[in-house]
Amino acid sequence: MDRRSVLKLGGLGLGLGLSSVAFGHNTMGLGDIALNTKKEESYVLINNAKIFDGINEKLIVGNLLIKGGKIAKISTSKIDAPKGAKVIDAGGKFLMPGLSDAHWHVMFAAAPISAANLPDPGLFYADAVAEARRTVLRGFTTVRDMAGSVFGLKVAIDSKAIPGPRIFPSGAFISQTSGHGDFSPAYEKSPTLGGDRGHLEKLGEFTVANGVPEVLAAVRDNLKKGASQIKIGVSGGAISDFDPLDSTQFNDDEIRAAVGAAADWGTYVCSHVYHPRGIKRALKNGVKSIEHGQLADEEAVKLIAKNDAWLSIQAFSSKTLPKGTVIPEKSKPLFEQWEHVVKWAIRDKAKFAYGTDILFSPQFTPYQNKMLTVFADVLSPLEFMRLATSNNAKLFELSGPRNPYKEAKLGVLREGAWADMILVDGDPFKDPNVLSEYEDKFIIIIKDGDIYKNMLA
């Protein structure tokens, strides 16, 4: 069998990739991306658009003016173009907020697992930079990064040195010894017992912490580096070697310590967790974002709603994968479970967000949009359109003062909001799949007032 047709899944999500050598998707050159660096002087006027504001089903048929990185005016009447403005005739096409992914891995999505065994992290960073460009060209203008040392990359994107999405960074994923973030070999003692820290720990991608003092130090270290939220592991994972999926990780005191340290900085804790026991332990101790939850039972979903927490879930489904994908045994229990969990969340009025959790799998990153569109199978058209726009943005706002983009609103098209948007050739209310046809149907992509793609030009 051709080894390229046998793809593996695993991991914090969609697993072990075979190669990151060939990237044939969204091959727009950097020269095709025009970044505006003088925000006070730059204007973009979009005329004749059907505007979905990210919240309301009724579209605004009119015009939108961008000044710098924000939306200056939306009107059904004519807007006079400021001097030097770039004027775009939308031709009646559908204008919507940029998409967001609540569980993305900037450092890991496009890197093969073999990158961890190289003498230096060069391949990690090269793949991450390349994938950041492709991410925004898929229309994802904001991501919440759920593990990884992305702080420098975020600065490079925010300063316009490289193109990419806005990043809400978590920093190193915090795990106990033998937990989901422990990638040291079995013969190596835990750092708590005098062993050496693993390579990925030394790179700042993961931190193994045991007991309250070490958990406090790990959380505070991430906050020091600029984390907007904290991620810990509370159940087993698919890619890690030592922990069964049904294992529960970190005790009550350790979880409360993480939550308290994050709260001291005005932000919150997310937990990797699949099963009901772990979800209940996380919620009991103050975790506000349950990452995954595909094995949740009805009681656990009710508790998410009762605790005013979030379910950040991913559509682990054969519908979203390339043909020929082979799902490893450890990952199989997680597949085809998300739909009934989301239906329980809708019934119980639990808040839920959309994410993907792709890592070490460059062959899966082009399916980021498809993993969104399958949610239309269980949501109303309006709920679906809000999901990766204004809805995800509400979750991101839990970062409070640690929100790196708190100066304006994300996920909406309204005056004063960040100028992140997509002009779509089609109506996603009528045909959700148009959002998966990003190469042909996303006519214009704008982030922070910068035009990243313009097929009308």
Side-chain angles (χ1 to χ4, degrees), residues 191-210:
T192 307
L193 300 175
D196 193 16
R197 295 201 175 268
H199 181 54
L200 289 174
E201 279 197 80
K202 292 176 181 178
L203 292 178
E205 315 299 348
F206 298 88
T207 297
V208 173
N210 297 291

Side-chain angles (χ1 to χ4, degrees), residues 308-319:
D308 195 31
W310 284 77
L311 172 66
S312 173
I313 194 165
Q314 303 77 40
F316 293 164
S317 168
S318 57
K319 297 178 183 177

Side-chain angles (χ1 to χ4, degrees), residues 258-279:
V259 169
D264 285 344
W265 280 53
T267 188
Y268 68 103
V269 170
C270 319
S271 68
H272 161 99
V273 57
Y274 292 118
H275 56 65
R277 185 172 67 255
I279 292 171

